[in-house]
Amino acid sequence: MNTRPFPAAGTDVSLLGFGAMRLPVIDGDATKIDEAEAIRMIRRAIDLGVSYVDTAYVYHGQTSEAVVGKALKDGYREKTLVATKMPFWIMKGPEEMAPTLDEQLKRLDVDFIDLYLLHDIEGGRWQTVRDWKMYEFLANAKAEGKIRFAGFSFHGESPAMFKEVLDAYPWDFCQIQLNYMDTHIQAGLEGYEYAAAKGVPIIIMEPLKGGKLTDTLPESVQRFWDTLPQKRTPAEWALRWVANLPGVTTILSGMSTMAQVEENVRILSDADAGELTAEELDVIEKAAAEYRRLIAYSCTACKYCLPCTAGINIPLIMNLRNSWDLFDRNPKLKGEWKMFANPPASACIECGKCEPLCPQHLPIIQALKESAAIYE
Ligand SMILES: NC(=O)c1ccc[n+]([C@@H]2O[C@H](COP(=O)([O-])OP(=O)(O)OC[C@H]3O[C@@H](n4cnc5c(N)ncnc54)[C@H](OP(=O)(O)O)[C@@H]3O)[C@@H](O)[C@H]2O)c1
C-alpha cells in the first residue's frame, strides 16, 4: 500500500482509507450492518496496509462506530489510525459535546480517537462552530488525551468559505469531497491547492462520487475511456485522478464488498502523484464534462437527507431521475420505479426538511416533482 506523510502523527498513513459509511448491510437496510462481513473487510484492508479507518457518530443509523470498534479488536487497533466525527448539528447545545465524545469513545471501545472531526461544516453551521467555541473544546479534548488530532469535514458552499474555515484555527488536517467531476463545487481544486500550500494534510471523501463514477456508465463516457491505450475500470481512473494530486494524504473510499476492498487496495498500492499523462488527464476531463452534461442532479447517495417526513427514499428517486437522462430514457426504468419507489415521489409534502441537509445543495423538492412527472 502506498503511504503519504502525516507529519503531526510522526508517521506516514496509507493512501487508501476505509470509509465506514457504506458497509455491507442486511436486507438493504442501512441501519443493519452485516457485522461479520464488515469486520472481515475492515481487517482485510488493514492486513493489506490500510492504516486509516473513518467513521462517524451518525453513519448507518448510529451503528457504524460500534462495528468499527469490534473490527479494531484482536490487535487491529494498534495498526491503524481511527477517525470519527462530532455531529454537532444534531445537538441541542454545546453542553452535549463532551458527553457525545465520551459516548463515541465507548462505542469505539478505545482509549483515544486519533483523528476527531467537526462533521460537515457548511452554511449556518460555521457560525455554530464559532458560537459554541468548538475549537477550544477540541483543544481541551486533546489536552485530556481523548483525541490526538483535530480537524473538520467540509461540504460548504464555496472555496472561499473553505479557506475561511481553514484559516480560522490551527487544524491538524481537513477532509474534503474531491473527484474528477467535483472540481468546482464546495472546496474544489481551489480549496485543495490552498490547504496543500499551507501544508495541512488533506483527506479526500467521495473520490468515486459515492459510486457514481463506476458502474452506471453511459456509452458516451465509455467512448472516451476506450480512446486510451491503457485499459482500466472507471473506478480505477477516478481513484488514480485523486492519487495524482501530490497534496492528498489519504483517499477514503466507502467500500461495500470485499472485491472493492481488494481492487482499491491494488489500485492505491500502485498509484503515484503526478503519474497521469497529459493525454490521460485530458480524457478524464472530457469524461467529466460528458457526465456533467448528462447528470441532472449530482446526488452522491450519502443519505444525509433521510429520514424523509413522507418516508420517500430520496437517494433512490434521485438515482432514477438521473438514470432517465443517462440511459436514454430506457423503458426498463419504469419497471424499477414501480418496484422500488415506494412511497413514490408524488408523496412529497414539500416540508423542506431535506434540502438544508443535502451536502450537494440539491433542489430535492424540484427533483422529486420532475421524477413524479417522468415516472408516475
Ligand atoms: N464527513 C463527511 O461529511 C462525509 C461525507 C461523505 C463521506 N464521508 C466519508 O468518506 C468516505 C468515502 O466517501 P464515499 O463512501 O462516498 O466514497 P466513494 O469511494 O466515492 O463511494 C463509495 C462507493 O463506491 C463504490 N465503489 C467503491 N469501490 C469501488 C470499486 N473498486 N469498483 C466499483 N465501485 C466501487 C461502492 O458503491 P456500491 O455500494 O454501490 O457498490 C461504494 O459504496 C465515506 O465512507 C465516509 O467515511 C464523509
mmCIF file of all heavy atoms in Angstrom, residues 25-46:
data_model
loop_
_atom_site.group_PDB
_atom_site.id
_atom_site.type_symbol
_atom_site.label_atom_id
_atom_site.label_comp_id
_atom_site.label_asym_id
_atom_site.label_seq_id
_atom_site.Cartn_x
_atom_site.Cartn_y
_atom_site.Cartn_z
ATOM 1 N N VAL A 25 -24.766 -4.277 4.231
ATOM 2 C CA VAL A 25 -25.927 -4.295 5.143
ATOM 3 C C VAL A 25 -26.822 -5.491 4.839
ATOM 4 O O VAL A 25 -26.712 -6.112 3.785
ATOM 5 C CB VAL A 25 -26.746 -2.981 5.063
ATOM 6 C CG1 VAL A 25 -25.918 -1.798 5.536
ATOM 7 C CG2 VAL A 25 -27.280 -2.738 3.646
ATOM 8 N N ILE A 26 -27.732 -5.743 5.770
ATOM 9 C CA ILE A 26 -28.649 -6.885 5.622
ATOM 10 C C ILE A 26 -29.990 -6.383 5.078
ATOM 11 O O ILE A 26 -30.518 -5.363 5.550
ATOM 12 C CB ILE A 26 -28.823 -7.587 6.994
ATOM 13 C CG1 ILE A 26 -27.473 -8.182 7.429
ATOM 14 C CG2 ILE A 26 -29.908 -8.654 6.933
ATOM 15 C CD1 ILE A 26 -27.398 -8.578 8.864
ATOM 16 N N ASP A 27 -30.526 -7.060 4.109
ATOM 17 C CA ASP A 27 -31.835 -6.751 3.503
ATOM 18 C C ASP A 27 -31.941 -5.302 3.031
ATOM 19 O O ASP A 27 -33.020 -4.693 3.126
ATOM 20 C CB ASP A 27 -32.983 -7.033 4.495
ATOM 21 C CG ASP A 27 -33.058 -8.499 4.874
ATOM 22 O OD1 ASP A 27 -32.623 -9.332 4.053
ATOM 23 O OD2 ASP A 27 -33.529 -8.796 5.993
ATOM 24 N N GLY A 28 -30.840 -4.729 2.594
ATOM 25 C CA GLY A 28 -30.873 -3.362 2.076
ATOM 26 C C GLY A 28 -31.181 -2.314 3.131
ATOM 27 O O GLY A 28 -31.414 -1.148 2.809
ATOM 28 N N ASP A 29 -31.183 -2.715 4.412
ATOM 29 C CA ASP A 29 -31.495 -1.764 5.486
ATOM 30 C C ASP A 29 -30.179 -1.150 5.983
ATOM 31 O O ASP A 29 -29.363 -1.828 6.617
ATOM 32 C CB ASP A 29 -32.214 -2.510 6.621
ATOM 33 C CG ASP A 29 -32.576 -1.591 7.780
ATOM 34 O OD1 ASP A 29 -32.041 -0.461 7.851
ATOM 35 O OD2 ASP A 29 -33.394 -2.013 8.620
ATOM 36 N N ALA A 30 -30.001 0.158 5.703
ATOM 37 C CA ALA A 30 -28.727 0.819 6.016
ATOM 38 C C ALA A 30 -28.404 0.812 7.506
ATOM 39 O O ALA A 30 -27.259 1.044 7.899
ATOM 40 C CB ALA A 30 -28.758 2.253 5.496
ATOM 41 N N THR A 31 -29.395 0.556 8.363
ATOM 42 C CA THR A 31 -29.125 0.557 9.809
ATOM 43 C C THR A 31 -28.726 -0.833 10.315
ATOM 44 O O THR A 31 -28.422 -1.002 11.481
ATOM 45 C CB THR A 31 -30.355 1.047 10.606
ATOM 46 O OG1 THR A 31 -31.411 0.090 10.428
ATOM 47 C CG2 THR A 31 -30.811 2.411 10.123
ATOM 48 N N LYS A 32 -28.794 -1.832 9.408
ATOM 49 C CA LYS A 32 -28.442 -3.210 9.830
ATOM 50 C C LYS A 32 -27.163 -3.649 9.130
ATOM 51 O O LYS A 32 -27.198 -4.279 8.066
ATOM 52 C CB LYS A 32 -29.572 -4.175 9.465
ATOM 53 C CG LYS A 32 -30.782 -4.053 10.343
ATOM 54 C CD LYS A 32 -31.689 -5.247 10.105
ATOM 55 C CE LYS A 32 -33.071 -4.965 10.668
ATOM 56 N NZ LYS A 32 -34.149 -5.443 9.809
ATOM 57 N N ILE A 33 -26.031 -3.301 9.719
ATOM 58 C CA ILE A 33 -24.748 -3.674 9.115
ATOM 59 C C ILE A 33 -24.563 -5.183 9.194
ATOM 60 O O ILE A 33 -24.865 -5.793 10.235
ATOM 61 C CB ILE A 33 -23.594 -2.958 9.856
ATOM 62 C CG1 ILE A 33 -23.739 -1.438 9.728
ATOM 63 C CG2 ILE A 33 -22.241 -3.409 9.318
ATOM 64 C CD1 ILE A 33 -22.745 -0.653 10.555
ATOM 65 N N ASP A 34 -24.084 -5.763 8.112
ATOM 66 C CA ASP A 34 -23.683 -7.169 8.137
ATOM 67 C C ASP A 34 -22.335 -7.190 8.862
ATOM 68 O O ASP A 34 -21.271 -7.063 8.256
ATOM 69 C CB ASP A 34 -23.559 -7.681 6.696
ATOM 70 C CG ASP A 34 -23.118 -9.140 6.643
ATOM 71 O OD1 ASP A 34 -22.621 -9.657 7.659
ATOM 72 O OD2 ASP A 34 -23.255 -9.742 5.565
ATOM 73 N N GLU A 35 -22.432 -7.339 10.187
ATOM 74 C CA GLU A 35 -21.247 -7.140 11.042
ATOM 75 C C GLU A 35 -20.094 -8.060 10.685
ATOM 76 O O GLU A 35 -18.949 -7.621 10.575
ATOM 77 C CB GLU A 35 -21.626 -7.391 12.508
ATOM 78 C CG GLU A 35 -22.165 -6.162 13.170
ATOM 79 C CD GLU A 35 -22.187 -6.303 14.691
ATOM 80 O OE1 GLU A 35 -21.298 -6.968 15.283
ATOM 81 O OE2 GLU A 35 -23.098 -5.728 15.269
ATOM 82 N N ALA A 36 -20.409 -9.336 10.503
ATOM 83 C CA ALA A 36 -19.332 -10.302 10.274
ATOM 84 C C ALA A 36 -18.562 -9.926 9.003
ATOM 85 O O ALA A 36 -17.323 -9.911 8.994
ATOM 86 C CB ALA A 36 -19.910 -11.709 10.157
ATOM 87 N N GLU A 37 -19.306 -9.586 7.946
ATOM 88 C CA GLU A 37 -18.651 -9.265 6.677
ATOM 89 C C GLU A 37 -17.899 -7.928 6.780
ATOM 90 O O GLU A 37 -16.791 -7.773 6.274
ATOM 91 C CB GLU A 37 -19.687 -9.238 5.541
ATOM 92 C CG GLU A 37 -19.117 -9.015 4.158
ATOM 93 C CD GLU A 37 -18.070 -10.059 3.728
ATOM 94 O OE1 GLU A 37 -17.856 -11.046 4.434
ATOM 95 O OE2 GLU A 37 -17.445 -9.828 2.673
ATOM 96 N N ALA A 38 -18.537 -6.951 7.456
ATOM 97 C CA ALA A 38 -17.898 -5.633 7.592
ATOM 98 C C ALA A 38 -16.578 -5.770 8.357
ATOM 99 O O ALA A 38 -15.554 -5.182 7.975
ATOM 100 C CB ALA A 38 -18.837 -4.665 8.301
ATOM 101 N N ILE A 39 -16.595 -6.565 9.421
ATOM 102 C CA ILE A 39 -15.376 -6.749 10.231
ATOM 103 C C ILE A 39 -14.297 -7.457 9.393
ATOM 104 O O ILE A 39 -13.133 -7.068 9.392
ATOM 105 C CB ILE A 39 -15.702 -7.532 11.531
ATOM 106 C CG1 ILE A 39 -16.553 -6.650 12.451
ATOM 107 C CG2 ILE A 39 -14.423 -8.003 12.232
ATOM 108 C CD1 ILE A 39 -17.156 -7.358 13.647
ATOM 109 N N ARG A 40 -14.748 -8.457 8.640
ATOM 110 C CA ARG A 40 -13.799 -9.183 7.768
ATOM 111 C C ARG A 40 -13.160 -8.212 6.760
ATOM 112 O O ARG A 40 -11.962 -8.229 6.519
ATOM 113 C CB ARG A 40 -14.585 -10.271 7.008
ATOM 114 C CG ARG A 40 -13.862 -11.587 6.828
ATOM 115 C CD ARG A 40 -14.849 -12.679 6.415
ATOM 116 N NE ARG A 40 -15.438 -12.439 5.096
ATOM 117 C CZ ARG A 40 -14.881 -12.777 3.934
ATOM 118 N NH1 ARG A 40 -13.687 -13.358 3.922
ATOM 119 N NH2 ARG A 40 -15.489 -12.548 2.785
ATOM 120 N N MET A 41 -13.986 -7.320 6.190
ATOM 121 C CA MET A 41 -13.483 -6.386 5.175
ATOM 122 C C MET A 41 -12.517 -5.362 5.772
ATOM 123 O O MET A 41 -11.461 -5.067 5.202
ATOM 124 C CB MET A 41 -14.657 -5.659 4.505
ATOM 125 C CG MET A 41 -15.414 -6.521 3.516
ATOM 126 S SD MET A 41 -17.034 -5.836 3.076
ATOM 127 C CE MET A 41 -16.611 -4.191 2.609
ATOM 128 N N ILE A 42 -12.881 -4.808 6.925
ATOM 129 C CA ILE A 42 -12.016 -3.790 7.545
ATOM 130 C C ILE A 42 -10.669 -4.429 7.911
ATOM 131 O O ILE A 42 -9.598 -3.875 7.660
ATOM 132 C CB ILE A 42 -12.706 -3.151 8.784
ATOM 133 C CG1 ILE A 42 -13.956 -2.364 8.346
ATOM 134 C CG2 ILE A 42 -11.731 -2.244 9.545
ATOM 135 C CD1 ILE A 42 -14.855 -1.900 9.479
ATOM 136 N N ARG A 43 -10.739 -5.625 8.480
ATOM 137 C CA ARG A 43 -9.487 -6.302 8.877
ATOM 138 C C ARG A 43 -8.642 -6.680 7.658
ATOM 139 O O ARG A 43 -7.420 -6.567 7.692
ATOM 140 C CB ARG A 43 -9.810 -7.542 9.725
ATOM 141 C CG ARG A 43 -10.345 -7.144 11.084
ATOM 142 C CD ARG A 43 -10.570 -8.327 11.968
ATOM 143 N NE ARG A 43 -10.947 -7.891 13.318
ATOM 144 C CZ ARG A 43 -11.130 -8.697 14.346
ATOM 145 N NH1 ARG A 43 -10.985 -10.000 14.187
ATOM 146 N NH2 ARG A 43 -11.452 -8.221 15.523
ATOM 147 N N ARG A 44 -9.315 -7.121 6.608
ATOM 148 C CA ARG A 44 -8.568 -7.469 5.374
ATOM 149 C C ARG A 44 -7.850 -6.222 4.852
ATOM 150 O O ARG A 44 -6.685 -6.280 4.459
ATOM 151 C CB ARG A 44 -9.557 -8.010 4.325
ATOM 152 C CG ARG A 44 -8.941 -8.312 2.980
ATOM 153 C CD ARG A 44 -8.142 -9.604 2.989
ATOM 154 N NE ARG A 44 -7.572 -9.881 1.679
ATOM 155 C CZ ARG A 44 -6.353 -10.364 1.479
ATOM 156 N NH1 ARG A 44 -5.567 -10.642 2.496
ATOM 157 N NH2 ARG A 44 -5.908 -10.578 0.266
ATOM 158 N N ALA A 45 -8.570 -5.086 4.857
ATOM 159 C CA ALA A 45 -7.957 -3.844 4.375
ATOM 160 C C ALA A 45 -6.730 -3.507 5.226
ATOM 161 O O ALA A 45 -5.665 -3.163 4.693
ATOM 162 C CB ALA A 45 -8.975 -2.710 4.415
ATOM 163 N N ILE A 46 -6.861 -3.639 6.545
ATOM 164 C CA ILE A 46 -5.728 -3.318 7.431
ATOM 165 C C ILE A 46 -4.579 -4.305 7.188
ATOM 166 O O ILE A 46 -3.411 -3.913 7.100
ATOM 167 C CB ILE A 46 -6.181 -3.303 8.913
ATOM 168 C CG1 ILE A 46 -7.195 -2.165 9.138
ATOM 169 C CG2 ILE A 46 -4.979 -3.141 9.855
ATOM 170 C CD1 ILE A 46 -7.865 -2.155 10.504
#
